[in-house]
Amino acid sequence: MLLLGVRVVLLTEAVSFTQIHCIYSLSSALLLFQRKAQRRHLSLCSKLCYAIGGAPYQITGSALGFFLQIYLLDVAQLDPFYASVILFVGRAWDAITDPTVGFLVTRSRWTCIGRMMPWILFSTPFAVLTYFLIWYVPPFEQGKVAWYLIFYCLFQSMQTCFHVPYSALTMFISSNQKERDSATAYRMMVEVMGTVLGTAIQGQIVGGTSDCPTEINPNQWSLLCPQKQAYLIASGVICIIYILCATVLFLGVKEKKENGRKTSELITFRQGLWLVISHGPYVKLVIGFLFTSLAFMLLEGNFALFITYSLGHRKDFQNLLLLIMLSGTLTIPWWQWFLSRFGKKTAVYVGILWAVPFMILIVCLKSNLIVSYLVSVAAGVSVAAAFLLPWSMLPDVVDDFKIKNPDIYGHEALFYSFYVFFIKFASGISLGISTLSLKFAGYVTGSCNQPEAVSFTLNVLVSPVPVGLIIVGLLILRTYPIDEETRQNNQKKMQKILESEEDSESETSALGSNV
């Protein structure tokens, strides 16, 4: 409209060059204002579409986390030693692929659909196929271990190619920290709902066939027992949901290119590792959450076995797991309000410590179904905090790094990928050791009853060990330097940096228009 006005004025009367320049300047200022407003604001639709993209990772993660161990032991009927090898190698491989993919993502070029989106788009069909094959019992015995190991590792690789770019996408959907925090809260709520969905689908379908398994002739592989069929049906449903969520993310989220920034020189893998581990706040945050995350992962990995063999609630374990996830989903908005009101560090202490008394209570009291349900509801509140807070605090660390290293750009994915690497590698070790400890305790594959030593081992794995890990993690997080005051100061500094870059970009555009 402004350009049309210029043409009309030029046709009706003589106008000086200064007046034309003023009109162009006003036009550039208006365009700059609109661009700033767009960058600072995310629509509700964009936030929801972005959040839905996080569901596949949690749906498959909860199904694998809660059910893969018991599936390998009681349905595939593998020896606990081989099950521990699969769990450890799969998690360790998954951990290695995270920084590798993060490193490759930082070297990716911008395309017409963005820099992160191609990874998400092309990894989805392969992730779906390999996930489905994890839950298929092959018609042979000799190569069973290799089958599960190969497809578990392949799925973890494809999932990493989806999730690392998706996590880093947080930094590219908006330049405003408040909008990113809001989008992260939506994402965490959907992700916890994803864990509910994964637990519900896998638990309710499989739970209907939770009676003691009857061994069949392995040569009659076409006549799958009810449990095997149930796992296949559940995995098929999850695969369909995975594809739908990835489609919504791709169609509903626009990745924003940082036009005003220069691109740093390409770095080696070793340089990328040193880049992130030399940043003090990042190291303290990662190590602190490493211990607290391990506590919840250890609880997650052994909880189905604990409910089944220690508490004796074989027919109710899927409902208890579902209740934990539902409780966590409903309390995500409350935790988002709490951290915005009292600060993120305070939310960490309150949220994660909340689980400790209930971890102790469930192993100290005599097995009681009502008590187990009440403890599950209370534990879900802490699970919500454990989900939300790490991903809410990682962008603060990235902003702090950018302020202290203004000449280094485009390496955001490294911070997310190395965080996931440390968490997954440590969890692989813990799950491998915990499964192996069941073998030493005398776990009998496919049996409805286990020795007393197995029950005692499961009690230790879901209570004293996680409690100790939580305490160590919180002590480390006390040294984390980015408190609420520092975070707000960093937010102001980042906003000034972004505004100066936008002003510089606007001046360049205006100069080009005048020419």
Side-chain angles (χ1 to χ4, degrees):
M1 290 300 293
L2 285 170
L3 294 176
L4 180 61
V6 172
R7 293 191 182 98
V8 172
V9 170
L10 288 173
L11 290 172
T12 56
E13 58 180 283
V15 180
S16 68
F17 178 79
T18 303
Q19 289 174 311
I20 296 174
H21 179 72
C22 290
I23 293 173
Y24 272 115
S25 298
L26 177 60
S27 175
S28 299
L30 288 172
L31 288 172
L32 177 61
F33 177 79
Q34 290 175 350
R35 189 178 292 115
K36 284 182 179 180
Q38 289 173 352
R39 289 186 181 181
R40 291 176 186 176
H41 177 70
L42 274 176
S43 67
L44 178 61
C45 180
S46 295
K47 292 177 183 177
L48 288 174
C49 290
Y50 169 72
I52 288 172
Y57 181 77
Q58 297 302 338
I59 293 173
T60 55
S62 65
L64 290 168
F66 281 123
F67 295 95
L68 182 59
Q69 186 183 47
I70 197 170
Y71 166 79
L72 293 175
L73 292 173
D74 288 350
V75 180
Q77 297 196 349
L78 297 180
D79 184 89
F81 172 77
Y82 293 119
S84 68
V85 169
I86 292 169
L87 291 172
F88 168 69
V89 174
R91 288 292 185 115
W93 174 257
D94 187 22
I96 293 170
T97 58
D98 276 293
T100 304
V101 171
F103 173 71
L104 294 174
V105 167
T106 62
R107 300 172 72 95
S108 300
R109 296 183 178 180
W110 181 268
T111 68
C112 59
I113 59 173
R115 190 150 64 100
M116 307 296 164
M117 282 297 181
W119 289 86
I120 295 170
L121 182 64
F122 293 118
S123 65
T124 296
F126 298 103
V128 166
L129 176 62
T130 52
Y131 178 79
F132 182 79
L133 292 174
I134 290 173
W135 302 103
Y136 173 70
V137 180
F140 46 79
E141 289 296 323
Q142 293 300 322
K144 251 188 198 180
V145 175
W147 173 278
Y148 290 114
L149 190 58
I150 289 170
F151 286 111
Y152 188 34
C153 289
L154 285 175
F155 169 72
Q156 298 289 18
S157 299
M158 294 300 102
Q159 179 75 305
T160 298
C161 290
F162 182 101
H163 192 251
V164 168
Y166 171 76
S167 300
L169 192 61
T170 309
M171 306 301 295
F172 298 98
I173 58 176
S174 176
S175 60
N176 185 277
Q177 189 182 73
K178 193 177 219 181
E179 290 295 318
R180 292 202 306 258
D181 283 347
S182 176
T184 300
Y186 278 98
R187 171 190 162 191
M188 290 302 107
M189 187 155 63
V190 171
E191 287 196 0
V192 175
M193 289 174 65
T195 63
V196 172
L197 198 57
T199 307
I201 292 170
Q202 195 86 1
Q204 297 304 314
I205 293 176
V206 172
T209 59
S210 60
D211 291 335
C212 296
T214 302
E215 187 174 355
I216 62 172
N217 185 349
N219 294 322
Q220 297 174 337
W221 59 272
S222 59
L223 301 175
L224 295 174
C225 69
Q227 277 193 313
K228 294 178 182 179
Q229 291 176 331
Y231 276 103
L232 279 178
I233 293 170
S235 65
V237 174
I238 288 175
C239 286
I240 293 171
I241 296 173
Y242 193 119
I243 295 172
L244 291 175
C245 291
T247 303
V248 170
L249 173 66
F250 176 70
L251 297 177
V253 176
K254 181 175 176 58
E255 187 177 340
K256 298 186 184 337
K257 186 177 183 180
E258 295 182 306
N259 293 322
R261 294 194 167 205
K262 298 177 181 178
T263 304
S264 296
E265 294 182 1
L266 296 178
I267 60 174
T268 64
F269 183 84
R270 183 183 298 178
Q271 289 172 330
L273 176 61
W274 175 251
L275 197 71
V276 296
I277 66 173
S278 61
H279 189 56
Y282 177 77
V283 173
K284 292 173 182 176
L285 182 74
V286 168
I287 295 177
F289 277 120
L290 173 66
F291 284 95
T292 59
S293 298
L294 279 178
F296 287 99
M297 288 180 181
L298 204 57
L299 182 65
E300 177 188 63
N302 294 282
F303 200 62
L305 289 170
F306 171 73
I307 294 172
T308 302
Y309 296 115
S310 290
L311 299 184
H313 305 319
R314 174 181 291 274
K315 294 188 176 181
D316 293 278
F317 80 92
Q318 72 273 12
N319 296 325
L320 291 168
L321 296 177
L322 181 59
L323 200 58
I324 292 174
M325 295 298 105
L326 279 173
S327 174
T329 303
L330 295 176
T331 51
I332 281 281
W334 187 85
W335 282 118
Q336 177 62 22
W337 169 85
F338 188 93
L339 68 85
S340 63
R341 175 68 177 81
F342 299 102
K344 296 179 182 180
K345 285 189 72 172
T346 304
V348 168
Y349 302 140
V350 175
I352 294 180
L353 277 175
W354 176 266
V356 171
F358 300 104
M359 288 181 178
I360 297 172
L361 181 66
I362 199 168
V363 297
C364 289
L365 294 180
K366 187 177 179 180
S367 177
N368 184 291
L369 187 58
I370 295 176
V371 172
S372 298
Y373 274 106
L374 292 175
V375 169
S376 297
V377 172
V381 177
S382 196
V383 169
F387 263 88
L388 174 64
L389 290 164
W391 297 109
S392 180
M393 296 170 77
L394 271 172
D396 301 338
V397 174
V398 176
D399 283 345
D400 186 72
F401 176 84
K402 287 181 178 180
I403 291 169
K404 294 176 180 176
N405 301 272
D407 297 325
I408 301 177
Y409 311 123
H411 303 305
E412 293 84 357
L414 289 175
F415 287 90
Y416 288 87
S417 60
F418 276 110
Y419 168 73
V420 179
F421 163 75
F422 292 125
I423 297 296
K424 287 182 177 178
F425 189 80
S427 70
I429 295 175
S430 67
L431 286 176
I433 292 175
S434 68
T435 308
L436 195 59
S437 66
L438 293 177
K439 178 178 177 61
F440 294 138
Y443 186 92
V444 181
T445 298
S447 175
C448 293
N449 300 301
Q450 298 295 336
E452 187 64 30
V454 171
S455 177
F456 174 78
T457 302
L458 289 169
N459 286 347
V460 172
L461 291 173
V462 301
S463 183
V465 176
V467 169
L469 290 170
I470 285 174
I471 293 172
V472 173
L474 291 179
L475 288 174
I476 295 172
L477 285 170
R478 279 185 59 86
T479 65
Y480 175 66
I482 304 178
D483 54 17
E484 195 61 21
E485 182 180 357
T486 305
R487 188 184 70 83
Q488 291 178 2
N489 289 335
N490 284 348
Q491 183 177 1
K492 292 176 183 177
K493 292 177 183 177
M494 279 300 300
Q495 204 60 44
K496 288 180 180 178
I497 293 172
L498 292 169
E499 287 175 357
S500 66
E501 291 173 351
E502 290 170 349
D503 290 341
S504 175
E505 180 187 349
S506 176
E507 289 174 4
T508 303
S509 301
L511 181 60
S513 300
N514 287 332
V515 172

